[in-house]
Amino acid sequence: TALYYRRQGKLDESLALLQAVARQEPQQPMWQIELGNTMLEKKDISGALGYYQAAALMDQKNPTYWTMLAEFCAAHDVAVREVGLNAARQAVTLAPEDPAALDAMGQVMAGLGDFSSAERFFTQSLTANPNDAQAHLHLAQLLIRMEEMPRAHEHLAQAFQNAAETSDTRVIAQRLLERLFGAAP
C-alpha cells in the first residue's frame, strides 16, 4: 500500500506506512531503502541518504546494500567522497567480482573525477557481465566526458540493444545516440 501511495504522489501517507512497517521489521534493510526512495520523492536528499546508510549498516555483510548506497551517492552527487567511496569499497571488498559492485565503484570514481579508475571498474563490470545495459551506459557516459566518441557510440549502442524495451537505460541511450550521433540505433 505504501508503494501504491508513493506512485500516486501521496508521499506523506507512503512515508507513514513505511515507517510503521520498518518499526515492525527493524532488521529488514529493504524498508530503509523504500523509506529512502520516498524521501527522495519528497526532494529530501539528506533524509534519503540517511535511510540508505541505515540499510547498509543493518546488513553489513551484504554487498547489495553497500552497492545501493554507493549508487545513490553517485547518482545524486551527495557525499560521494565521504560516504559513496567507502560504500563502494565495502561492496567490492565483499563481492570483488560482482558486476553491480564494480559498476557502482565506477560510478563513484567518475563522480570523483578519476576517469581512468572509473573506466577500469566499468570494464571489469562488463567483463563479468558483458550484456549489462547499465554498465554499458555508464561507460558510454564516461567516454563522452573523456571525448572518446567512437567508443562512446559503441557502448551506447550496446546499452540500447541490451536494455529492456521500456527501461530508463534504453531511453537515455537512445536520446544520447540521437543527440550526439544524429541517428537512432
Side-chain angles (χ1 to χ4, degrees), residues 121-140:
F121 282 106
F122 289 141
T123 301
Q124 288 174 6
S125 176
L126 287 168
T127 298
N129 183 2
N131 296 319
D132 185 339
Q134 270 197 309
H136 278 290
L137 178 62
H138 295 149
L139 179 53

Side-chain angles (χ1 to χ4, degrees), residues 4 21 52 66 100 103 109 119-120 126 134-136 167 179:
Y4 169 79
V21 171
Y52 271 79
W66 292 110
D103 182 62
M109 298 312 287
E119 183 176 5
R120 187 177 76 246
L126 287 168
Q134 270 197 309
H136 278 290
S167 70
R179 188 178 60 162

Side-chain angles (χ1 to χ4, degrees), residues 36-76:
N37 290 337
T38 303
M39 295 302 285
L40 188 59
E41 290 282 324
K42 290 177 68 94
K43 311 288 189 241
D44 183 349
I45 300 290
S46 63
L49 175 62
Y51 284 117
Y52 271 79
Q53 287 176 294
L57 292 172
M58 278 181 168
D59 195 356
Q60 294 184 35
K61 301 280 187 219
N62 187 336
T64 300
Y65 298 108
W66 292 110
T67 298
M68 293 171 90
L69 175 56
E71 290 172 337
F72 176 87
C73 291
H76 300 287

Side-chain angles (χ1 to χ4, degrees), residues 15-36:
L15 192 61
L17 287 172
L18 286 168
Q19 288 169 336
V21 171
R23 281 191 300 274
Q24 290 175 355
E25 297 182 17
Q27 299 305 314
Q28 180 51 260
M30 190 47 71
W31 297 125
Q32 300 300 311
I33 296 296
E34 292 304 334
L35 282 161

